[in-house]
Amino acid sequence: MEPFPSDQIQLPRNMIENSMFEEEPDVVDLAKEPCLHPLEPDEVEYEPRSSRLLVRGLGEHEIDDDEEDYESSAKLLGMSFMNRSSGLRNNMSVYRQNPSGSCSVPSTRTMVVCTVVLVIAVSLIMAIYLLPKCTFTKEGCHKKNHTMELIYPLATNGKLFPWAKIRLPPDVVPLHYDLVLQPNLTTLKFAGSVKIVVNIVQVTWKIVLHSSGLNITKATITSAGGHQEKPVEFLEYPLHDQLAVIAPEALLVGQNYTVSIEYSSNLSDTYYGFYKISYKDENSKQRWFAATQFEPVAARSAFPCFDEPAFKATFLIKIKRDEKLSTLSNMPKKATTPVTNGIVQDEFFVSLKMSTYLVAFVVADLKNISRETNGSLVSVYAIPQHLNQVGYALNTAVKLLEFYQKYFLINYPLEKLDLVAIPDFQSGAMENWGLITFRETTLLFDSNTSSARDKKLITAVIAHELAHQWFGNLVTMEWWNDLWLNEGFATFMEYFAMEEIFPELHSDEDFLNLIFKAMMKDSLNSSHPVSSAVQSSEQIEEMFDALSYIKGASLLLMLKHYLTKDVFQAGIEVYLHNHSYGSAQSDDLWDSMNEITNGTLDVKKLMKTWILHKGFPLVTVVRKGKIISVQQEKFLYCMEPENWTSDASYLWHIPLTYITSSCNLTHCTNAYLLDQKSAVIELPEEVEWVKFNVDMNGYYIVHYAEDWKTLIDLLKKNHTALSPKDRANLINNIFNLAGLGKESLEKAFELIDYLNKENSTAPLTQALFQLSLIYSLLEKKGEQQLAARVMHRIEHLLGDKIDQQSWTDDGTLSERELRSTLLAFACTHGIRNCRATATEMFEKWMKSNGTMSLPSDVMKAIFTAGAKSSDGWEFLLKTYSSSVSEAEKNKMIEALASTEDVRKLIWLMQNSLEGEVIRAQELSRIVATVSQSLPGYLLAWDFVKENWEKLTRKFHLGSYTIQNIISWSTSQFATKAHLLEVKSFFESKSEESSQLRCVKEAIDTIQLNIQWMEGNLAKLRELL
């Protein structure tokens, strides 16, 4: 199609603009307004959904590859052309009126003209929508760099803001930051100044960077080699957290300039940015503590910066503080100098090149212990009264650091590594380079009160954060769409390292349970690909979920098994060496792997089928003699039509693994790459049974069709023929298939009948999890009798196992962890004599005023039983307030939240949100526990509704805490009335709230609960 020539329809400029923006009162026309500052040729595009304060101007425009922006501009200009043609038709007065008012029949000439105009209008509209890569202007269609009407937002002062995208322009890059901060822990404010050395990539008049909630008082710019700071105008656009520094003259390509900014702000009362924490010291006196949490987008609230992961730079940090306190940052301290009376300044060495979200500093009264390894000083810091609980963390960190250096063949590059326990911290930990911050429960180990599970948690979190020092810090994802490169890798390495160094912890069993839970989330229609396009801060926050962490890690586990461990390790080494101190995308990882496979396997082609698509495959296996037919389809629940998106034809490249009854010591596991819809595998001989997805090392579910009966018989006769992970895998798969309608619930119950012979943790916990889900749904639906029959079935299967548990800390770590799980469950649901034994132990402990030592593995079960009485609950709360063991307090919190006293539950949630007696960091755990009980599940949802604004102010929309709170407070609903209520509530909130992925997941989950109940309630009555 030819571009529309400009001389065919000439309209006055003002007519075009007025027809385009008829109902846009806040638009400023650059053609009529005086120029506020020089405009850039390539910097603005139409952006829907941003501020209504939009501005049009003329300039050069480079069309972006972003489809949404292109399409929006096309539609906008299409409206313009339609309005032009309608205006033209009106002006031509096609139909002439008679004096009497009736219309005369149009002449032939008029009809011809009308037809021509109509054809022209239709042609224009078709051109707009059909011509690819065109920039439409008054002159027609141009491929690139031609004038277009541009749209800018307005800054806070009413002037034009020179950038309209959420992402920063690429024309300026930061090289170095000099940052000086002075936090005041009395006024709870801080002052700061930053000097940013930037390099100019394209000629520009402006420098756009991030700033959020900062009171900027002064901004200047200095050219390279220049000594004179020139004051500059700065504009702020809070909707995108952006600050534009307007240069007095053009900034030249290749030149360096220094931007200096002075500002002040309050220490944050959320968990983001530079925030304040209060705690009680040994003398119960209130003390203040200031710490940072910048990931993903909060560095901008502590200092103006280019707050995107790819904008790496070096940092020189200086902090002024009270001489009685201490400071820590990413790098070792270089010098401390007096400033004024009682105030000193700590200066730290210049950092390595890193992203802004990894910058960190802490100002507090801390104590530490240290040990050197391989030229780096490893230290663990805590508030003074917790110093006796940091020993285990130090030993663990040193072992893990040594392991990673050997495995990656790259030394940890800093001279020090600090691990700091923060008294109030939203997430588990944060991997800031050289200064890792932790919640106290994930770093402090108390030999008297920390259980086997606590030890495993601490080890896992340290392993995860240390892996980040390479995956995330040394090599960083280019943008948040590939967050899984950071989090998936760190999760994978966490479990891999624990198996290698701490095999006694049996961490692979935990990983298995996490994969099962990630697959539950990934089976929903509201799931997302591991690598997903994101723009806004809410979308970025929501990427921190089970799919980025667990699915990402499980895909790496699957790849490691398929490539073999040596090839996989070599690929990782190439990836880290090629991208050190830089940024990477998913394809860079696959290219590194392909360097090692050297054409024998296209890793990129294989793995793109997994990371660019949501969900996972269901593989159906049919065995006839020696022939096995395998077929793949998407594992997908049938949802309500309006919520269902079909991609049933999608094809994964699945590295299948299988074992058979003819397994021998030299050759057990077989592999087959299923890259077609279906295939046939021929076995060398006939076998009694076959089990696919060995040890659940692949991210898929298997349906055995007729062979389920064979596997059920195998478990009854000789369950140890399969590994514990394989047994857990079968339990998980058959219950999922029953939910899908592919297999009967009766067969699922038949499969777990063997459990009274089971001694391994993984299958027992998976069976308990599946049965608990059914019990909870029935209980909340008011089917108490049926729920009691499910609990009777659980008691029949596991009662003897529960009776065998001793109330001690004896046995292997795996045995101890199973004991914790079984006894806590039994005491919660009143199975056997668990509650009586626990209550007796609790009363003895209460009589000793909490001084008597309790076995740490069964402490939670004892506290849960004790909290059933009003006196026990009050005593637990009082002890909680004075306890110095975070591990003990953690168990108390869950016990307090398991009471059936409605008033106590409401108080507990409200108090935690206010953070007075119980810290707000515990709220997610409290809501989760409250939601599981019959009196609590409606209270939790009411609490969320009533406190939504407070919750999202404290924890931020999209954050992991908000995701968990929404999920837990709605996951027990299974009625259409509750579905409507949840939908209506979120629709009544802001668009950002209603569009949250976790809200869509909650709605999907309720619909599935309803569907499950409708499909299985009658069957359950027959079955039980």
Side-chain angles (χ1 to χ4, degrees):
M1 193 178 287
E2 287 292 309
F4 194 85
S6 60
D7 58 358
Q8 292 213 353
I9 297 183
Q10 287 289 354
L11 280 179
R13 177 179 169 78
N14 64 334
M15 187 186 293
I16 298 168
E17 288 178 346
N18 291 339
S19 66
M20 281 177 74
F21 296 94
E22 269 176 347
E23 295 177 20
E24 197 71 87
D26 296 315
V27 168
V28 178
D29 191 340
L30 283 191
K32 301 188 185 82
E33 289 291 302
C35 193
L36 301 175
H37 55 72
L39 289 176
E40 293 297 317
D42 63 346
E43 57 203 20
V44 167
E45 63 186 63
Y46 175 65
E47 183 181 83
R49 297 192 304 276
S50 71
S51 169
R52 297 286 291 170
L53 303 179
L54 302 174
V55 183
R56 299 190 304 290
L58 289 170
E60 297 294 299
H61 182 73
E62 179 108 357
I63 267 294
D64 198 291
D65 283 333
D66 190 314
E67 227 170 84
E68 182 179 79
D69 295 332
Y70 168 73
E71 187 176 282
S72 303
S73 301
K75 285 178 181 169
L76 188 64
L77 287 158
M79 286 164 51
S80 160
F81 285 119
M82 283 189 276
N83 286 338
R84 292 187 197 190
S85 54
S86 65
L88 189 58
R89 283 197 299 274
N90 292 340
N91 291 340
M92 287 171 69
S93 302
V94 172
Y95 292 91
R96 302 177 186 84
Q97 274 195 314
N98 289 339
S100 64
S102 65
C103 289
S104 65
V105 178
S107 68
T108 306
R109 178 177 175 277
T110 304
M111 293 292 286
V112 169
V113 171
C114 274
T115 306
V116 169
V117 169
L118 192 60
V119 167
I120 289 167
V122 170
S123 302
L124 281 167
I125 294 162
M126 287 176 70
I128 286 162
Y129 284 96
L130 299 179
L131 277 182
K133 298 293 180 186
C134 278
T135 302
F136 288 94
T137 68
K138 288 191 294 180
E139 288 74 40
C141 169
H142 300 274
K143 289 294 176 188
K144 280 193 177 181
N145 292 330
H146 282 267
T147 46
M148 179 181 179
E149 294 176 50
L150 303 182
I151 300 178
Y152 285 92
L154 296 180
T156 49
N157 61 1
K159 291 187 177 183
L160 198 65
F161 191 82
W163 189 246
K165 287 185 179 183
I166 293 178
R167 298 279 297 271
L168 295 179
D171 47 13
V172 178
V173 294
L175 302 177
H176 177 75
Y177 294 78
D178 273 0
L179 177 62
V180 180
L181 287 164
Q182 183 165 3
N184 186 321
L185 295 189
T186 305
T187 64
L188 303 178
K189 297 178 185 295
F190 70 95
S193 67
V194 66
K195 291 178 187 288
I196 312 172
V197 179
V198 298
N199 179 257
I200 309 302
V201 179
Q202 293 174 321
V203 175
T204 183
W205 290 84
K206 52 129 186 31
I207 297 171
V208 181
L209 63 163
H210 288 111
S211 169
S212 176
L214 301 176
N215 175 30
I216 296 172
T217 51
K218 184 182 175 185
T220 62
I221 194 165
T222 313
S223 60
H227 300 292
Q228 188 182 358
E229 290 188 348
K230 296 178 182 175
V232 288
E233 180 187 16
F234 59 89
L235 302 167
E236 294 177 273
Y237 184 44
L239 188 67
H240 290 170
D241 291 342
Q242 286 173 357
L243 170 73
V245 174
I246 311 303
E249 57 199 22
L251 304 175
L252 304 177
V253 173
Q255 295 293 306
N256 290 354
Y257 296 84
T258 301
V259 179
S260 301
I261 301 170
E262 293 177 12
Y263 62 95
S264 62
S265 189
N266 295 323
L267 288 168
S268 171
D269 54 6
T270 71
Y271 288 107
Y272 297 87
F274 194 15
Y275 73 101
K276 60 179 187 275
I277 301 154
S278 76
Y279 69 97
K280 300 273 176 65
D281 65 13
E282 302 103 313
N283 305 314
S284 297
K285 184 183 170 189
Q286 187 186 42
R287 302 288 300 273
W288 288 96
F289 188 122
T292 58
Q293 171 59 42
F294 290 162
E295 190 180 33
V297 291
R300 63 191 68 174
S301 63
F303 60 102
C305 58
F306 294 78
D307 202 9
E308 293 181 7
F311 284 119
K312 291 192 168 187
T314 55
F315 295 81
L316 171 62
I317 294 172
K318 298 175 184 174
I319 298 177
K320 295 174 184 174
R321 55 154 174 106
D322 186 311
E323 61 186 358
K324 296 186 186 117
L325 300 173
S326 57
T327 60
L328 297 170
S329 187
N330 305 83
M331 301 301 289
K333 202 173 288 180
K334 183 180 181 182
T336 300
T337 51
V339 178
T340 57
N341 192 24
I343 302 292
V344 296
Q345 176 175 280
D346 292 329
E347 179 181 341
F348 298 88
F349 284 99
V350 176
S351 77
L352 299 175
K353 198 174 169 189
M354 64 182 184
S355 305
T356 46
Y357 78 85
L358 293 169
V359 174
F361 27 89
V362 171
V363 182
D365 177 16
L366 295 167
K367 296 279 186 285
N368 71 289
I369 60 170
S370 305
R371 192 194 312 167
E372 190 169 331
T373 176
N374 201 28
S376 296
L377 186 67
V378 181
S379 305
V380 184
Y381 287 82
I383 56 175
Q385 62 261 45
H386 288 156
L387 190 64
N388 63 340
Q389 298 175 39
V390 301
Y392 178 74
L394 181 63
N395 293 334
T396 303
V398 168
K399 284 179 188 173
L400 284 161
L401 195 64
E402 290 168 351
F403 170 77
Y404 286 140
Q405 291 182 119
K406 284 177 190 164
Y407 186 79
F408 299 137
L409 296 182
I410 296 177
N411 282 342
Y412 173 71
L414 303 183
E415 289 178 16
K416 64 99 174 172
L417 175 63
D418 297 336
L419 294 79
V420 186
I422 308 279
D424 200 6
F425 197 75
Q426 183 180 347
S427 53
M430 175 60 208
E431 69 267 19
N432 317 296
W433 215 352
L435 179 60
I436 308 176
T437 45
F438 292 79
R439 189 184 282 212
E440 288 182 321
T441 46
T442 61
L443 192 66
L444 304 178
F445 182 84
D446 177 9
S447 53
N448 295 319
T449 57
S450 294
S451 63
R453 186 173 293 164
D454 294 328
K455 178 179 269 192
K456 193 185 277 192
L457 173 70
I458 292 165
T459 312
V461 176
I462 295 172
H464 184 97
E465 302 310 326
L466 260 64
H468 269 311
Q469 305 304 298
W470 286 265
F471 285 100
N473 301 9
L474 185 66
V475 180
T476 312
M477 79 262 134
E478 199 169 284
W479 180 244
W480 301 104
N481 63 304
D482 276 329
L483 175 68
W484 83 276
L485 280 178
N486 278 20
E487 298 301 350
F489 246 118
T491 305
F492 168 78
M493 289 307 304
E494 154 192 349
Y495 288 102
F496 176 66
M498 285 172 74
E499 278 185 67
E500 294 290 313
I501 310 170
F502 308 101
E504 72 281 2
L505 292 177
H506 294 280
S507 59
D508 53 334
E509 292 173 355
D510 295 277
F511 189 33
L512 187 68
N513 284 323
L514 288 173
I515 294 171
F516 290 148
K517 286 174 184 172
M519 290 179 98
M520 284 176 71
K521 182 185 174 88
D522 203 15
S523 66
L524 301 175
N525 193 48
S526 50
S527 181
H528 65 91
V530 168
S531 183
S532 297
V534 289
Q535 287 277 343
S536 70
S537 59
E538 293 85 12
Q539 290 169 342
I540 291 167
E541 290 267 15
E542 283 208 287
M543 287 301 284
F544 290 80
D545 68 359
L547 300 182
S548 293
Y549 285 70
I550 312 302
K551 182 177 179 179
S554 62
L555 295 182
L556 292 169
L557 176 72
M558 182 170 70
L559 183 62
K560 171 179 162 263
H561 280 279
Y562 189 59
L563 294 179
T564 73
K565 62 180 184 180
D566 293 341
V567 171
F568 182 80
Q569 183 178 355
I572 287 179
E573 287 165 10
V574 169
Y575 171 74
L576 289 173
H577 277 97
N578 286 353
H579 301 284
S580 288
Y581 305 104
S583 303
Q585 300 176 359
S586 295
D587 278 357
D588 295 318
L589 175 62
W590 313 139
D591 289 340
S592 299
M593 295 287 176
N594 278 341
E595 280 188 41
I596 305 300
T597 60
N598 201 20
T600 56
L601 172 73
D602 189 344
V603 176
K604 186 187 288 188
K605 188 178 176 186
L606 170 81
M607 294 308 291
K608 276 194 163 187
T609 69
W610 293 93
I611 68 156
L612 297 179
H613 198 73
K614 67 182 182 182
F616 53 86
L618 167 63
V619 177
T620 301
V621 175
V622 178
R623 183 170 59 99
K624 286 181 182 170
K626 293 194 291 183
I627 302 298
I628 299 176
S629 301
V630 289
Q631 182 175 324
Q632 65 161 296
E633 62 187 288
K634 178 163 184 170
F635 184 97
L636 186 70
Y637 293 106
C638 288
M639 301 292 290
E640 294 291 327
E642 77 261 21
N643 288 336
W644 190 73
T645 54
S646 176
D647 43 11
S649 62
Y650 190 78
L651 198 69
W652 282 268
H653 290 192
I654 312 171
L656 296 176
T657 54
Y658 60 95
I659 51 170
T660 69
S661 54
S662 63
C663 160
N664 57 56
L665 294 175
T666 54
H667 180 74
C668 252
T669 303
N670 304 276
Y672 181 87
L673 183 65
L674 179 62
D675 55 3
Q676 302 295 322
K677 191 81 178 163
S678 60
V680 171
I681 301 169
E682 188 171 353
L683 301 177
E685 59 187 333
E686 283 200 33
V687 293
E688 290 173 33
W689 53 265
V690 62
K691 159 73 174 69
F692 273 76
N693 201 359
V694 179
D695 283 343
M696 183 68 195
N697 287 329
Y699 191 75
Y700 56 94
I701 277 179
V702 184
H703 179 28
Y704 292 94
E706 299 305 313
D707 255 8
W708 273 116
K709 187 178 184 315
T710 311
L711 291 166
I712 289 168
D713 290 342
L714 176 66
L715 290 175
K716 282 178 181 167
K717 290 175 194 163
N718 180 22
H719 67 281
T720 55
L722 297 173
S723 70
K725 285 198 277 191
D726 272 333
R727 302 196 296 269
N729 178 219
L730 288 176
I731 294 167
N732 172 269
N733 282 195
I734 200 163
F735 274 95
N736 274 303
L737 290 164
L740 197 61
K742 292 262 185 188
E743 202 43 86
S744 70
L745 202 54
E746 184 179 5
K747 203 166 274 183
F749 274 93
E750 199 184 335
L751 184 135
I752 58 172
D753 274 341
Y754 89 96
L755 280 178
N756 50 16
K757 293 185 289 186
E758 183 61 83
N759 291 308
S760 295
T761 306
L764 285 168
T765 51
Q766 180 56 206
L768 201 53
F769 175 75
Q770 294 294 344
L771 293 170
S772 296
L773 286 179
I774 296 171
Y775 171 82
S776 292
L777 277 182
L778 292 170
E779 184 194 40
K780 310 304 183 299
K781 182 85 168 142
E783 294 282 349
Q784 261 64 35
Q785 276 193 321
L786 202 48
R789 275 144 65 186
V790 171
M791 196 52 68
H792 179 72
R793 175 63 74 100
I794 294 173
E795 186 171 350
H796 169 72
L797 290 171
L798 303 179
D800 290 347
K801 198 79 61 220
I802 290 164
D803 287 343
Q804 289 162 15
Q805 303 304 313
S806 62
W807 292 76
T808 66
D809 285 340
D810 298 337
T812 66
L813 280 166
S814 188
E815 288 166 351
R816 291 172 59 191
E817 194 172 4
L818 180 61
R819 179 185 302 138
S820 291
T821 303
L822 289 175
L823 291 180
F825 182 85
C827 284
T828 299
H829 296 285
I831 293 176
R832 300 292 169 104
N833 62 348
C834 179
R835 207 174 274 178
T837 308
T839 304
E840 187 185 329
M841 292 179 81
F842 181 83
E843 282 169 357
K844 285 180 186 172
W845 177 74
M846 194 159 72
K847 278 177 189 163
S848 76
N849 202 27
T851 57
M852 183 182 108
S853 180
L854 291 173
S856 59
D857 293 328
V858 293
M859 195 180 276
K860 183 179 155 188
I862 293 166
F863 288 162
T864 301
K868 299 287 179 198
S869 74
S870 186
D871 287 349
W873 195 92
E874 295 293 346
F875 181 74
L876 265 182
L877 182 64
K878 188 184 91 171
T879 314
Y880 174 88
S881 303
S882 58
S883 173
V884 291
S885 164
E886 292 303 315
E888 185 179 55
K889 288 170 89 165
N890 225 16
K891 297 172 186 69
M892 288 176 178
I893 277 290
E894 289 195 42
L896 290 166
S898 65
T899 179
E900 290 173 7
D901 187 320
V902 168
R903 286 169 303 175
K904 287 183 169 69
L905 292 176
I906 293 169
W907 180 88
L908 204 59
M909 291 187 287
Q910 203 62 52
N911 188 277
S912 178
L913 178 57
E914 287 156 14
E916 294 299 320
V917 179
I918 295 158
R919 295 194 179 281
Q921 68 178 13
E922 308 296 348
L923 182 60
S924 174
R925 179 189 295 270
I926 290 169
V927 169
T929 309
V930 169
S931 299
Q932 289 169 57
S933 70
L934 186 58
Y937 86 112
L938 294 174
L939 291 177
W941 170 237
D942 286 343
F943 171 78
V944 170
K945 287 188 295 182
E946 287 161 19
N947 295 281
W948 180 248
E949 276 68 32
K950 283 184 189 172
L951 287 167
T952 53
R953 199 162 51 244
K954 181 74 178 174
F955 299 110
H956 287 207
L957 272 179
S959 67
Y960 204 60
T961 303
I962 291 292
Q963 291 177 46
N964 281 337
I965 286 172
I966 291 174
S967 172
W968 277 111
S969 63
T970 59
S971 64
Q972 308 284 308
F973 293 158
T975 65
K976 287 180 179 171
H978 274 134
L979 175 64
L980 182 62
E981 186 183 333
V982 172
K983 276 183 175 177
S984 302
F985 172 75
F986 286 110
E987 282 167 7
S988 73
K989 298 298 158 191
S990 67
E991 187 183 352
E992 290 84 5
S993 297
S994 62
Q995 292 305 309
L996 286 175
R997 194 184 291 119
C998 54
V999 170
K1000 294 174 184 173
E1001 280 171 15
I1003 290 165
D1004 278 359
T1005 302
I1006 299 168
Q1007 286 177 330
L1008 279 178
N1009 289 346
I1010 293 168
Q1011 193 176 302
W1012 195 95
M1013 293 297 280
E1014 286 172 352
N1016 291 291
L1017 203 54
K1019 292 176 195 170
L1020 268 176
R1021 288 197 180 103
E1022 288 174 30
L1023 200 57
L1024 301 172

